[in-house]
Amino acid sequence: MDGRFSGSRRLWLVRRLLLGAAVVLLVSVLVFAATQVLPGDPARAVLGHDATPESVAALRAELGLDRPLISQYLAWLGHIVTGDLGQSLVTREPVAALIGDRTINSAVLVVISAAIVVPLSVFVGALAGRRRDRKFDKAMLVVTLGLTALPEAIIALLLVILFSTSVLRLLPGTVLLGPGQNPLGQPAQLVLPVAALVLGVLPYLSRLVRGSVIDVYESEYVRIARLKGVPERVVLRRHVLSNALVPAIQGTALALAYLTGGVVVVEQVFNYPGLGTTLVDAVNNRDFPVIQMVCLVFAACYVIFNLLGDVLTVYVTPRLRTAGQ
Amino acid sequence: MTAVTVKGLRVDLDGRGVDVVDLVDFEIAAGEVLGLVGESGSGKTTAGVTLLGDARRGATIAGGSIVLGGQEVVGLGQGQLAKLRGSSVAYVPQDPAMALNPALRLRRQLDELFEFHRPDMPEPDRDARIKATMREVGLDDSDAFLARFPHQLSGGQQQRVTLALAFLLRPRVIVLDEPTTGLDVTTQARVLATVRDLCASHQVAALYVTHDMAVVAGLAHRVMVMYAGRIVEAGPSSRIFGEPVHPYTRALIAAVPQVSERRELTAIPGDTPMPGRRPGGCAFHPRCKHADPACATTVPEPVEVVPGHIVRCLHATRFAAEPAQPAPALTAGRTGERGEVLLEVTGVDAFHGRKQVLHDVSLTLAKGECLALVGESGSGKTTLARCVIGLHRNHTGTMTFQGAPLATRARDRSRESRRAIQYIFQSPYNSLNPRRSIGETLREPLKVLFGMSAAKAAAEVAEVLERVSLSPAAAASYPDQLSGGERQRVAIARALVCRPEVLICDEITSALDVSVQASIVRLLRRLQDEEGLALLFVTHNLGLVRAVADHVVAMRAGRIVEGGPVDDVLDRPGDQFTRDLIAATPELSAVPTGDPSRLPLSLEDPT
Amino acid sequence: MRIGLVLTGLILLIIAIGPLLAPHSHSAIVGAPYQPPSSLAMLGTDYLGEDVLSRVLEGGRSIVWVSFVGTLLGVGVGSAIGMTAAYSGGVVDEVLMRAMDVLRAFPPMVLILLLVSMAQAELALMPLIVAIAWVPQVARVAYGAAKEVVAREFVESAETLGASRLRIVRREVLPNVMTPLMVEFGLRLTWSIGIVTTMSFLGVGLQPPAADWGLMIRENYQGLALQPWGVVVPALCVAAFTFGTNLMAEGFARTVARVSPAAETPKEVTV
Amino acid sequence: ACGSGGGAQPAATGAGAAGKPTRGGRLTVATGGAKGSDTLDPVLLNSAPVSFMARVLYDQLADFSNDLQYRLAMAELIEPNKAGDEWTIRVKDGIEFHNGKTLDAEDVIFTFKRTFTQAGSVTLGKFKPYVDLDEIKKVDKRTIRMKLLRPNSTFNYALASPHKIVPVDFDPRNPVGTGPFKYKSFTANRQWVCERFANYWNADGESEPSDSAAPAGLGAKPYLDELVVNVINDDSARTNALVTGQVDAINMVQFAQIPLIGQHQQLKLLESETGAWTGIYMNMEEPPFDDVRVRQALRLAIDREQALSSCVSGHGRVAYDLPEPYAPGYPTELTRKRDIEKAKALLKEAGKENITVELVAGPVSAEAVSMATVLANNAAEIGITIKVRQVDTATLFGPQFHSWPFSVDKWPAQGNYLTLLALTDLSESTTLTHMPKADLDALRDLHDKALSTVDEAKRAELTRQMYQIQFDRGGWIIPFFANVVNAHHAKVAGWPKQDASGRSFGNAHFEQLYLNG
Ligand SMILES: Nc1ncnc2c1ncn2[C@@H]1O[C@H](COP(=O)(O)OP(=O)(O)OP(=O)(O)O)[C@@H](O)[C@H]1O
Ligand SMILES: Nc1ncnc2c1ncn2[C@@H]1O[C@H](COP(=O)(O)OP(=O)(O)OP(=O)(O)O)[C@@H](O)[C@H]1O
Ligand SMILES: [Mg+2]
Ligand SMILES: [Mg+2]
């Protein structure tokens, strides 16, 4: 009855996995459809203003853009299934090579940010929830409200002005990463992008934690624990946090999914070579295979984070974990 | 030996200078069970938790003293209170499902008490004590059981775990706050027996808080009656139930339905006032039929009518001298020919998912008759009722109304049958749309069924409100402005406005105080007499069955085990199951002592 | 909450009467680029030499319009979908909510990027784009809230009367999810302002010569060192507006709805 | 690709005075204007960075100097016959490719063939009307003779505008040229790395004039060991990278950021006038631009000084709708004064008062959109409402590119008006302005005449006549020629003074740069 999942759980997991795969597949159809509606075409984007009708037609034929849509999609899907992510229409490089290290770069950014923001939010949120309506809580509410009032792009700009160019000249305000270079090799460059992402997610997550800590504090079993004579600090640690964790896990999953989207803006500001900048470029160039792949990666992250969140939730919630036994 | 002494206790709402309870004095001897009864909102819980030095968020202990084993509790710091709680004084909450931490295993939750109160106790001793206590409360003491999480227990088992938590360190005093409200009668009987046993064997003083008079009657040595934050009467159980003096106590007792005899239930008019809105003088005077002008102005002092029996009433001595409570009028059951059969249910099998919850159920309901459907919790009563009204779709079998078959879904039924059969839900809090005024709620059926214009409907609404004894002005109010009893009347009005022939009532009084329940029951009976309504009355309260029903059908695990005229079934139960049910139901009129031999069932938990 | 009202009121005032007060046309070139404040241009000039003050006074309209209409539309459609799914249950529920899942798998910024590239930045279309980004998220919240309501007995009571589905959703469910939806609206409005600003900032929002606070930040960021007002003032306006609506949403949630709006409510894990 | 990126170490360390000129070292620069579609294939060059990078990796037969003077480069001879329809080209002896092969006639022929066969070749346009692939004959090892389809006495100019010579069997994935640096790694839109080519043919050649020319004794060019070009498209981020010392030099400095860079003592600006231009074009097939009076009215309405000041903060020179200021025959006397009254009168005459037109603008250059805004502002004064619709480049260059009624485009300086005209107004397939037949025929006639004369003065006169037609009836509005501004750390020296082509980084003469170590 412990750690291991029951049979019905395993079934649930399989169902969720299939569902997730279906979501990703549908996303690919949607993105494909969307790319067809995009005005302009990659051949033109590649050739620029020197393009002649013949050269455009030749390039279109070469890129396979003149085939019927369905066959283009199915061909693409067929290749994906066999592990061939296709070729960038623009650089003619394999998509896998193109987005491979950028995916890692983005992942580094997201993982570091998450590794900072999750414990920080839990700490801040729990403290505020415990000192509800007292000074710390009020200060935290004002700060988080202020942070949500600033769009991420502006936060990022402010950070650059404050720490890089104008006020203090402590940190690089631009990220320069050669291809294949490990972003961890230059930690100083990562500080500001990570800070921007952390500040973007912190208000949401810490308030979520605060809310659920308060909910649990209000719960009957915490009252009962107190009436059992359990000291206050143990109440927080043992009775509150263990139960307040569940919404925090769900929130973290959402926040992670959000972070993967948030990198679009932050990467843009910091010139960070990740999926976000790749996507913006690909959209500008109408580089469909790349757009599709990046969107798929985002969608897959969303699905995976959610699934992980759910699995973890099930794992830490005895009621769910032991269901069906 | 006195375990706890309370004097002049007062609890105020923060910042409002309004008291929730005041002038509370009592003491409990070791091994004694003191009952604390009163209507909802009278301040029982508030008074109870003060023994642990606790007041709920938004309230504080404003005065008085609580001496527990020689130590003053009022004014202790958090640390000292923490030492006291759990070891010297323990608390058993109302809802065990909410009170146990869902993330911790039972052993952990039990062991925690040693961790903070007996840190030196060696592990094997702890284990032995935990297991002994588990056995004492009638639970499995195996390690596997202790490794369970709360959600893996039944409601009764959960309640027993909270008892084990309370008794584990053998406290001096234990406060039990309605610990059996959520349980069915058989489980309740077992839990009560456990409480009584443990208190006696460990010489624990218990304060037993409840609104169920019958429960206290069978359990407590002494009883206090609370009204509007004051103790209005206190004395030995036998005195309180045998010779009650305060008009409030008398009225409460008269409202309790009995299984053993059919009697007229009398209701107390009005509602318990909330803190801050309590009338001056004797707080009960607006609802008291003996009140005179003095009652409105003079605050009554406690009067000891006989030694140990204290009454807070201006006329205490006069009432004490009068012959005790005039015996409640016994009423005769309605007999005679059954009328035309309106509703017929034949061979219904119903399912929740793949699980079959009704097996071949058949019954008939005749015009003007009240058919009670009884059975323990989970036996399928609600499911059956929902099949009939067309809310539960997953079933087979036939149902006819006036001979015409009823479609499975309400939506597919004829307008005529949707009008003629009406349903009243259990919870008056849930069955009214909180965002719509009473008037709107009552106009809705008129609009949907008759397409009636708002103007015309207004007259109907006013009329129906009067029929359920509510003022027509209530049409403008919203549900949260009404008391539970008033809401349930609105729910009845919503059914009545359709001019139905059959009313299905699913435990419509179980969320209400006995006095309010009495008034609802009276209302239903009146409607039945005046309008010839047929009632399908779902309940697990056998006293109510006796009071309202003509026929009764008993269900067990989805099957009908017995049926017939009420008096036949209740006086001469044919099925063992019905007999057990009757035996487990606490009765007021039974000899009120703490005599364990009177307990209906043995301690063993059959699960 | 009071501060929120004041801030929001102030911004709305600027939007309402600002253009009347503007000393210049928002697209008139009144001097050299990036001139410091002078009597001619009280907040200086922008990257083209247009008057910053006039553009600030003019530039709130689009942002407020787009975020307000977009949010209204998104919350409206999203909650309609969520409630319908919650009430109908069964296949409708599955299909609608899985469709929402698919849309939710796009981060809003990515969705917007794709949509804007598809539709180009037409002012009339931008609320629609913001709305589409919100629909799946709101649907989820409305679904959760409505799911609790549809299980309540007054809904069943309406069913026993045979009321139509639409009537039940409209009269029984909607009023009871109104409060969370209002909270949702407030929060989404706040975020919409952020998104609209970010869109403009990334250059996928409104286009010059339109005056728009987000666009102004983008346009004048280059000259921050020369003429900070061109960035600072619109950024402050955006921040004040966001802060104001956020405080109001928060206040509303705390006092009226008595909930702590934890942004997107995490969903229940279903077995 | 190569693993060691350029950003691995902070580029410029320490502030203050530079040290002694030294050989070797690595130069890290950042460029803007890059695209995902960037490639090192010299026939596909279509962004600013690749066009200057091509100058680093490859070389040409002839070239323009930084003040746009034509000169021979790898060719020792480029000569037409009398009729201008047969050209003899001989390459210098002993020029070595990066792979060790020696440049010869075969490579020149191969390059022409490749230009004609490679899909998407952008240099094809200027050769297509003239070059007959079957008529390129190898005369000897280093000499070829080309019989043109028709006379073109300025064919040598076409060779001097981008036409990179690649070796036989050139493979763009491993690009080999004769430039001063050789390829090491390349990731589109991200980073280029190249290293010193020891056998650079022009190692002792003359350098472009510089204020900090390399001292004698620094040895053979190029002086640097390695060149790393990072892409930072965002203008502010690029400046930040220079300010925080992540890179040593940047190009495309926005005029608004000049003061910011000026605050830093160790940073230097490098500004040059150019002949590059961004123009707004009117499609003469579409109303209202089919009426010459509307075109002239707009040209009279635009406030060129204001445009120069607003769009580039005055960093540039006013232009009067005629491109190629360095071209032989450029008519400096053809200027216009802003004249609202005359413009209104023209509109009235044309019956086109109070009209509304849509101007499709895209980010072809930093100033394109603001130029459109300024024009819209100015046009309002003569009663023309211009709605500026901004689109991204993919849309701008989309299928409608050649049929937008009113849009923008940008050109680098070609050094010769005849070359430019062939690529723009005269080209049937790529014209944007769609001149009416009469003017087109007149222009073609003049163009043909100019190309068939080898008399430079006569050609200049014909060119002047073509400019006149453009001035009177053309479809371009060119308000100014913008300067290019680069900025660099003081420790990097040897930058050319001028860069009239506007390709940035001193027309990519990295071979003459050195570090003050
Ligand atoms: N902390 C508090 N803040 C506000 N009101 C309170 C507080 N504590 C008690 N009350 C009010 O005081 C009254 C008495 O409450 P209490 O819970 O003690 O009654 P009770 O007799 O236990 O009722 P029930 O039978 O419903 O449990 C109620 O009206 C309640 O609303
Ligand atoms: N929604 C449901 N899903 C699955 N099982 C259910 C559901 N509702 C009820 N059941 C099961 O069906 C059986 C009958 O339930 P029902 O509610 O009809 O009993 P009841 O007699 O009304 O009980 P109570 O007295 O507690 O109201 C029980 O075993 C219960 O566990
Ligand atoms: Mg209570
Ligand atoms: Mg039931």
Side-chain angles (χ1 to χ4, degrees), chain A residues 9 12 31 34 38-39 145-146 148-149 153-154 157 161 204 207-208 210 250 261 265 268 283 299 302 306 310 313, chain C residues 104-107 110 117-118 120 198 201-202 217 221 224 242-243 246-247 250 254 262-264 266-267 269-271:
Chain A
R9 266 294 155 207
W12 167 84
V31 178
L38 288 178
L145 272 177
T148 23
I154 295 186
L157 289 187
I161 292 172
Y204 162 76
R207 290 174 68 180
L208 181 75
R210 172 185 179 269
Q250 291 290 318
V265 175
Q268 199 65 17
V283 169
Y302 173 84
N306 262 300
D310 286 358
T313 301
Chain C
R104 275 157 54 89
F106 291 91
V110 173
S117 312
M118 268 156 66
Q120 295 297 331
T198 307
F201 179 77
L202 288 180
I217 297 174
Y221 176 59
L224 192 67
T242 323
F243 199 55
N246 204 345
L247 277 178
E250 177 84 14
R254 288 183 133 211
E264 196 167 356
K267 61 185 192 307
V269 179
T270 47
V271 181

Side-chain angles (χ1 to χ4, degrees), chain B residues 138-462:
Chain B
L139 287 174
D140 188 350
D141 66 352
S142 69
D143 287 328
F145 190 84
L146 282 167
R148 285 198 193 179
F149 287 99
H151 74 269
Q152 292 168 315
L153 309 183
S154 73
Q157 287 173 323
Q158 287 173 340
Q159 193 59 273
R160 281 155 192 273
V161 172
T162 62
L163 283 178
L165 278 168
F167 280 101
L168 188 63
L169 299 183
R170 310 268 188 274
R172 259 173 222 285
V173 180
I174 182 164
V175 178
L176 301 109
D177 192 358
E178 317 213 15
T180 62
T181 310
L183 307 179
D184 63 67
V185 275
T186 25
T187 319
Q188 164 173 303
R190 285 189 212 108
V191 170
L192 289 179
T194 313
V195 171
R196 185 206 305 270
D197 231 36
L198 286 171
C199 288
S201 58
H202 298 303
Q203 284 299 293
V204 174
L207 179 67
Y208 194 99
V209 172
T210 182
H211 65 250
D212 190 335
M213 308 287 280
V215 163
V216 186
L219 178 72
H221 301 91
R222 285 190 304 127
V223 174
M224 296 193 289
V225 181
M226 192 168 225
Y227 184 76
R230 310 283 185 284
I231 306 293
V232 295
E233 185 162 7
S237 264
S238 53
R239 290 278 315 173
I240 298 291
F241 292 105
E243 289 162 84
V245 172
H246 200 288
Y248 178 61
T249 316
R250 291 182 178 179
L252 270 186
I253 292 171
V256 179
Q258 295 289 306
V259 188
S260 48
E261 56 190 21
R262 182 192 305 269
R263 54 182 213 188
E264 187 71 36
L265 301 182
T266 47
I268 315 175
D271 294 303
T272 333
M274 302 271 288
R277 281 201 235 132
R278 292 171 180 165
C282 170
F284 186 59
H285 81 264
R287 303 173 71 188
C288 181
K289 57 184 176 196
H290 306 292
D292 57 22
C295 294
T297 51
T298 319
V299 179
E301 286 299 315
V303 177
E304 191 155 25
V305 289
V306 296
H309 186 168
I310 296 166
V311 181
R312 199 185 278 272
C313 174
L314 288 181
H315 309 297
T317 21
R318 196 179 90 212
F319 293 147
E322 277 172 16
Q325 186 100 349
L330 295 185
T331 55
R334 281 182 302 183
T335 43
E337 287 299 292
R338 286 185 83 180
E340 168 209 354
V341 169
L342 286 180
L343 187 71
E344 187 156 14
V345 174
T346 353
V348 166
D349 291 327
F351 306 83
H352 275 294
R354 244 173 264 148
K355 185 171 123 201
Q356 185 165 6
V357 293
L358 290 183
H359 302 266
D360 190 26
V361 170
S362 305
L363 51 81
T364 55
L365 179 64
K367 198 172 170 63
E369 123 184 300
C370 175
L371 173 66
L373 187 57
V374 298
E376 61 185 347
S377 184
S379 55
K381 307 182 292 293
T382 298
T383 309
L384 178 59
R386 290 169 60 88
C387 289
V388 173
I389 194 64
L391 286 174
H392 187 89
R393 298 183 201 148
N394 193 358
H395 66 82
T396 58
T398 53
M399 291 180 299
T400 58
F401 178 71
Q402 291 180 322
L406 289 171
T408 307
R409 292 197 311 178
R411 190 166 280 142
D412 303 334
R413 294 184 180 177
S414 70
R415 173 183 301 188
E416 173 53 21
S417 67
R418 276 186 274 135
R419 176 195 63 78
I421 310 177
Q422 289 294 320
Y423 194 96
I424 303 170
F425 293 89
Q426 171 169 12
S427 159
Y429 301 94
N430 250 332
S431 65
L432 300 182
N433 189 334
R435 297 286 162 172
R436 303 179 68 189
S437 73
I438 303 309
E440 282 177 294
T441 297
L442 293 180
R443 278 199 296 276
E444 181 76 8
L446 295 173
K447 174 92 186 97
V448 173
L449 289 175
F450 308 113
M452 202 181 277
S453 73
K456 206 156 155 240
E460 294 268 328
V461 167

Side-chain angles (χ1 to χ4, degrees), chain A residues 57-69 71-72:
Chain A
L59 192 59
R60 284 183 62 87
E62 190 188 324
L63 298 174
L65 296 173
D66 52 350
R67 284 179 299 159
L69 291 187
S71 88
Q72 280 186 49

Side-chain angles (χ1 to χ4, degrees), chain B residues 39-46 56 91 94 177-178 209-211:
Chain B
E39 283 173 289
S40 182
S42 54
K44 307 181 296 291
T45 301
T46 309
R56 273 172 292 172
Y91 181 70
Q94 171 166 2
D177 192 358
E178 317 213 15
V209 172
T210 182
H211 65 250

Side-chain angles (χ1 to χ4, degrees), chain B residues 386 389-391 393 409-411 418 421-423 425-436 440 444-445 447-449 494 498, chain C residues 87-88 151-165 167-168 171-180 256-258:
Chain B
R386 290 169 60 88
I389 194 64
L391 286 174
R393 298 183 201 148
R409 292 197 311 178
R411 190 166 280 142
R418 276 186 274 135
I421 310 177
Q422 289 294 320
Y423 194 96
F425 293 89
Q426 171 169 12
S427 159
Y429 301 94
N430 250 332
S431 65
L432 300 182
N433 189 334
R435 297 286 162 172
R436 303 179 68 189
E440 282 177 294
E444 181 76 8
K447 174 92 186 97
V448 173
L449 289 175
R494 176 175 53 192
C498 306
Chain C
Y87 178 66
S88 307
R152 306 258 299 267
E153 291 169 346
F154 57 84
V155 176
E156 300 198 316
S157 168
E159 274 170 25
T160 65
L161 292 174
S164 70
R165 284 169 202 278
R167 192 178 174 87
I168 291 180
R171 317 248 336 186
E172 309 289 346
V173 181
L174 180 62
N176 285 288
V177 295
M178 213 49 208
T179 316
V256 183
R258 270 177 253 130

Side-chain angles (χ1 to χ4, degrees), chain A residues 211-292:
Chain A
S212 71
V213 163
I214 286 178
D215 279 352
V216 177
Y217 260 120
E218 302 268 279
S219 76
E220 185 71 6
Y221 56 79
V222 166
R223 202 169 93 87
I224 296 302
R226 289 196 180 122
L227 292 183
K228 266 160 72 178
V230 177
E232 204 51 32
R233 70 201 142 73
V234 185
V235 168
L236 176 67
R237 186 156 40 81
R238 186 178 297 166
H239 293 268
V240 176
L241 281 186
S242 60
N243 289 292
L245 215 60
V246 174
I249 288 172
Q250 291 290 318
T252 304
L254 280 174
L256 276 170
Y258 172 81
L259 275 178
T260 47
V263 295
V264 175
V265 175
V266 170
E267 288 183 359
Q268 199 65 17
V269 173
F270 290 99
N271 194 52
Y272 190 91
L275 285 181
T277 37
T278 309
L279 180 68
V280 174
D281 281 344
V283 169
N284 283 336
N285 288 323
R286 309 294 188 260
D287 194 347
F288 302 149
V290 178
I291 297 178
Q292 255 158 334

